[in-house]
Amino acid sequence: MTTLTEAAESGSTQTAESAESTAYAILDIAREQVLEGGEGLNEAQLLEILTLPEEAIPAALQLAHEVRVRHCGEEVEVEGIISIKTGGCPEDCHFCSQSGLFDSPVRGVWLDIPELVKAAKETAATGATEFCIVAAVRGPDIKLMNQIKFAIDRINEEVDINIACSLGMLTQRQVDQLAEWGVHRYNHNLETARSFFREVVTTHTYEERLETCQMVKDAGMELCCGALIGMGESVEQRAELAAQLAALEPHEVPLNFLNPRPGTPLQDQPIMEGKDALRAIAAFRLAMPRTVLRYAGGRELTLGDLGTREGLLGGINAVIVGNYLTTLGRPATADLNLLVELNMPIKELQKTL
């Protein structure tokens, strides 16, 4: 005869088994839908990935890695970035120390063309295939566009590397010019979900960002459109962002984790937990099985060396090496040595100009 205690223990065991089965059910669905069918998870499904129990994270990362290899291949793309104009930006992106509206230690600095060419050469020497020129502006004026044209010409004369740009919001004429000059890829991040956007930016709209992204795609340039997570958004908004990026179908998604900067409105925001960052890596890969998913800013602080390794084995297939725009990254050699250790081949340059 079963006692009340035995019945309670049995019920507790069955409940635990049921909960574990439910927790992993989304991974079975993702294996069939994403790995086998090549169709990314929808927003509701992504929320399930983002709320998986901690013990399920390794399984989610393993599946994301399998998806990456199946749909993107084994190669890892390496990129370096440099700012032609740092600081003094008129926009109020609450995470950014380059805004001229905040009491930030970052001050306006312009690089000259020889410095850009030198940086491009140094970037190419690491094995990188992409060099991104960034400017902290709302959008480029004619002076900046002329400098970009001159820089592109000089870099192409001396360095064998693809050139990308990130110059803020563009007009149709500027999009057409960049495409004509051979810009390989244009970066314009959504940063966060539509429903959270006004919490972190008020000087321009989510729709304005989308407009530039669409013009870039229509002009035939590759669109690099990234995310910055850990800004105080809810886990539901994180799923929303992944789904909105997937709908945009960018070629590349840089995945940034907030590194709270002094003087910005988000300076006191807690650093995102590593386990949540790993859940996000898996979710973004399962949302976009064929997209280049790039490690970007904040990973050193949020994930550390061990987490960086786990992410590379969990769906990441591109990295920014060296320093970021206003924060320090890992030494390029550290990332390159890690790729070698993990037997991840670096993508060879395929010039598009």
Side-chain angles (χ1 to χ4, degrees):
M1 181 177 180
T2 304
T3 66
L4 290 176
T5 300
E6 291 172 335
E9 290 176 350
S10 175
S12 176
T13 301
Q14 290 175 358
T15 300
E17 291 175 350
S18 175
E20 181 174 305
S21 175
T22 301
Y24 286 82
I26 185 59
L27 297 183
D28 294 333
I29 292 170
R31 178 168 295 277
E32 180 68 25
Q33 180 177 322
V34 187
L35 181 64
E36 301 301 335
E39 178 186 349
L41 297 183
N42 62 36
E43 185 174 335
Q45 293 169 323
L46 291 169
L47 182 58
E48 292 189 62
I49 296 294
L50 289 165
T51 54
L52 280 170
E54 189 170 351
E55 61 269 20
I57 294 176
L61 291 170
Q62 174 60 34
L63 176 57
H65 179 69
E66 293 176 37
V67 168
R68 189 272 276 191
V69 173
R70 172 81 62 88
H71 295 290
C72 297
E74 296 184 352
E75 291 183 324
V76 175
E77 184 182 288
V78 176
E79 178 184 45
I81 61 175
I82 192 167
S83 180
I84 188 173
K85 177 191 176 288
T86 303
C89 181
E91 304 304 287
D92 73 345
C93 305
H94 293 10
F95 52 83
C96 186
S97 59
Q98 298 198 65
S99 173
L101 304 178
F102 307 142
D103 185 20
S104 164
V106 175
R107 293 294 176 260
V109 176
W110 284 84
L111 284 187
D112 60 25
I113 302 304
E115 289 175 304
L116 281 177
V117 174
K118 178 184 176 183
K121 288 180 177 179
E122 292 172 348
T123 298
T126 68
T129 60
E130 195 90 12
F131 180 67
C132 187
I133 303 171
V134 183
V137 291
R138 176 182 174 87
D141 57 17
I142 189 169
K143 174 187 173 183
L144 179 55
M145 289 296 288
N146 287 338
Q147 287 179 305
I148 294 296
K149 174 64 165 66
F150 189 40
I152 290 171
D153 289 343
R154 285 293 307 278
I155 291 170
N156 283 330
E157 288 173 4
E158 301 192 39
V159 189
D160 189 20
I161 197 165
N162 287 319
I163 298 175
C165 289
S166 180
L167 312 172
M169 291 174 287
L170 301 176
T171 65
Q172 184 62 62
R173 173 171 169 73
Q174 290 168 339
V175 169
D176 294 340
Q177 286 177 318
L178 292 174
E180 180 183 339
W181 299 341
V183 170
H184 170 233
R185 188 178 293 168
Y186 192 80
N187 169 254
H188 197 56
N189 294 342
L190 288 186
E191 305 294 11
T192 193
R194 184 193 297 268
S195 67
F196 193 65
F197 194 85
R198 295 294 292 177
E199 299 298 318
V200 293
V201 185
T202 67
T203 49
H204 60 266
T205 66
Y206 181 92
E207 286 68 27
E208 285 177 296
R209 284 187 181 258
L210 280 180
E211 183 179 1
T212 290
C213 290
Q214 194 57 57
M215 285 192 293
V216 166
K217 290 185 65 177
D218 292 344
M221 286 184 285
E222 291 183 355
L223 174 63
C224 170
C225 187
L228 174 56
I229 57 178
M231 293 191 287
E233 75 281 352
S234 67
V235 68
E236 289 82 5
Q237 286 166 326
R238 216 166 282 163
E240 178 191 348
L241 172 59
Q244 288 166 349
L245 280 168
L248 189 56
E249 297 184 329
H251 180 83
E252 174 188 340
V253 170
L255 191 53
N256 299 273
F257 308 97
L258 181 69
N259 181 345
R261 307 313 301 150
T264 67
L266 293 180
Q267 65 178 358
D268 296 323
Q269 179 67 32
I271 295 169
M272 186 178 186
E273 290 193 26
K275 60 187 178 182
D276 290 329
L278 291 173
R279 287 186 181 96
I281 290 170
F284 275 68
R285 170 52 67 202
L286 295 174
M288 296 168 280
R290 297 176 181 83
T291 298
V292 175
L293 187 59
R294 186 180 297 278
Y295 256 154
R299 62 185 166 102
E300 298 81 6
L301 192 63
T302 300
L303 290 165
D305 289 344
L306 178 60
T308 293
R309 177 188 298 266
E310 290 178 295
L312 283 168
L313 294 173
I316 296 290
N317 65 327
V319 294
I320 293 176
V321 293
N323 296 329
Y324 305 106
L325 300 177
T326 61
T327 59
L328 298 177
R330 284 157 52 95
T333 52
D335 280 327
L336 296 172
N337 289 340
L338 180 57
L339 293 177
V340 171
E341 180 185 336
L342 297 177
N343 198 28
M344 291 182 167
I346 297 174
K347 180 180 179 182
E348 294 183 4
L349 176 65
Q350 293 180 337
K351 205 75 162 92
T352 59
L353 299 179

